[in-house]
Amino acid sequence: MLFRTAPSKPDFEREVMPHMRLLYGVALRMARIEGDAEDLVQDTILRAYRFWDTFEAGTNCKAWLLRILTNSFRNRYREREREQEIMDQAESCDAHLGQFQGQNPRDAESALFGRMLSRDVEKALAALPTEFRLPVILADLEDLSYKEIAEVMECPAGTVM
């Protein structure tokens, strides 16, 4: 059953709020920067609320939210790639880039992983391309089933396995 009326705040809170820690943990592992992870979760929650009327009651809300999070991350990643291409072109033209380059924010994920994972696992996870990092994070660190990961990534469970 689709929610056809305006999104109900109590329904939304009841379904979505229990997944906030999971969303932040996955976002932090994907984005690797605390501020970016927070922005990603905020964007995910806003999109989820905006499209709450399309959520089918009784379906897997966690997978639905993680799919929104993943799509948001991919969109940001593509945007940053385009920005980097522009910056690289400007740099190759000997443009003055000092005014556009900020300082790198602290890498909060490294601090978190330093306590949770061995250095070898941390290095291996960081070396994975984004599309392979996500299923590892969801399966091994967040204990999602292959079926749930397949829903998030919109691919067959066999591909995830």
Side-chain angles (χ1 to χ4, degrees):
M1 161 182 193
L2 288 173
F3 291 112
R4 293 290 179 200
T5 59
S8 163
K9 186 175 180 179
D11 288 339
F12 182 80
E13 288 178 357
R14 184 181 63 250
E15 291 285 333
V16 173
M17 296 313 285
H19 303 293
M20 292 298 289
R21 291 187 126 195
L22 168 76
L23 291 173
Y24 181 72
V26 171
L28 185 60
R29 289 182 184 109
M30 290 171 66
R32 295 191 247 173
I33 297 172
E34 209 170 75
D36 288 351
E38 291 167 356
D39 291 346
L40 192 55
V41 171
Q42 181 179 4
D43 188 45
T44 299
I45 297 303
L46 287 172
R47 287 176 189 265
Y49 190 75
R50 182 175 168 207
F51 295 104
W52 184 241
D53 61 330
T54 65
F55 176 71
E56 292 184 39
T59 61
N60 190 341
C61 185
K62 177 171 54 173
W64 184 68
L65 291 168
L66 287 169
R67 186 176 325 123
I68 294 170
L69 179 91
T70 302
N71 289 340
S72 295
F73 176 76
R74 286 179 181 156
N75 290 341
R76 286 176 183 231
Y77 182 77
R78 286 186 197 118
E79 184 177 304
R80 285 190 177 161
E81 279 186 330
R82 284 192 299 270
E83 288 172 359
Q84 187 60 47
E85 287 175 12
I86 292 169
M87 295 296 280
D88 288 345
Q89 288 174 359
E91 194 172 56
S92 69
C93 296
D94 295 323
H96 179 63
L97 298 178
Q99 61 185 337
F100 301 112
Q101 295 175 332
Q103 298 197 356
N104 291 333
R106 183 175 74 81
D107 188 357
E109 184 186 36
S110 293
L112 178 65
F113 275 170
R115 285 177 270 156
M116 294 173 45
L117 302 172
S118 73
R119 292 254 183 237
D120 292 338
V121 174
E122 183 180 342
K123 287 179 185 177
L125 190 58
L128 286 174
T130 304
E131 62 271 11
F132 297 121
R133 186 180 324 131
L134 179 62
V136 171
I137 290 169
L138 295 177
D140 296 331
L141 301 177
E142 298 299 337
D143 294 323
L144 267 68
S145 69
Y146 290 137
K147 182 181 177 187
E148 289 174 317
I149 297 168
E151 287 179 35
V152 170
M153 298 186 69
E154 297 178 314
C155 68
T159 302
V160 173
M161 288 189 252

